[in-house]
Amino acid sequence: PHQVLREVNRVLKPEGIIMLTGFNPWAFWHIPRFLPNAKKRMPWKGHFISRYRVIDWLKLLNFDIEKKRGFCFFPFGGSSKKNASNSKILACLNRVGRYLPFLPAAYYIVGVKRVSGSTSVFNLFGLLSITHKVPIASPSEVFKGAPA
């Protein structure tokens, strides 16, 4: 995964945007992967990377993190009339769940590639040609009136 992010950094133009999604390895939804036979089946035999590790990798590659959010907190419950009280409870839990790293089953991260400003070689040569045209006073001209 880190090699993929380095390749994205290489090919993405400055101020380019990257959006990553992933599964939270600490979520309650991933409890079944600790069962004896679950690791042999998909999706539990995958290698899930935490949101914090991905953010750290992006920061090492000079990406600014614009957004980082967890989503998919609870799989059940709808907004039907008979589940109105349940939907209010789920909405409250969703608000609280944004601050708890183990609740969301998935996450997304939006980053922007930042590149520090640099001077092109052509501008540097232009600056050098301008600065060399400025006359420089020699010591003999400066001290003409000084007693010897």
Side-chain angles (χ1 to χ4, degrees):
H2 196 270
Q3 291 88 1
V4 172
L5 289 178
R6 277 191 274 158
E7 181 66 14
V8 167
N9 186 37
R10 189 184 70 80
V11 300
L12 196 63
K13 66 181 183 175
E15 302 300 319
I17 297 173
I18 181 173
M19 182 174 174
L20 299 170
T21 59
F23 292 106
N24 183 5
W26 303 321
F28 289 133
W29 284 25
H30 295 280
I31 291 175
R33 73 180 170 155
F34 297 110
L35 298 174
N37 292 328
K39 287 194 175 192
K40 298 176 185 173
R41 293 179 287 169
M42 291 298 281
W44 308 119
K45 67 180 188 179
H47 179 70
F48 303 115
I49 301 171
S50 72
R51 166 174 41 173
Y52 303 106
R53 181 175 284 181
V54 174
I55 288 171
D56 185 43
W57 287 345
L58 288 173
K59 286 182 179 179
L60 286 173
L61 295 171
N62 292 328
F63 279 88
D64 280 344
I65 307 302
E66 296 290 321
K67 280 195 176 189
K68 52 185 178 186
R69 286 264 169 95
F71 63 93
C72 204
F73 296 99
F74 298 100
F76 306 112
S79 60
S80 64
K81 292 179 183 177
K82 63 182 177 181
N83 290 334
S85 63
N86 288 343
S87 65
K88 288 179 184 178
I89 293 170
L90 289 175
C92 179
L93 289 174
N94 278 334
R95 273 186 256 122
V96 171
R98 289 194 179 111
Y99 302 104
L100 301 174
F102 54 86
L103 276 182
Y107 61 85
Y108 73 91
I109 302 167
V110 177
V112 178
K113 180 180 178 180
R114 301 292 185 205
V115 178
S116 61
S118 61
T119 306
S120 80
V121 175
F122 299 108
N123 289 340
L124 181 61
F125 288 135
L127 288 173
L128 290 175
S129 66
I130 291 171
T131 57
H132 286 301
K133 291 180 182 176
V134 177
I136 299 175
S138 65
S140 62
E141 294 174 0
V142 173
F143 295 109
K144 277 186 179 177

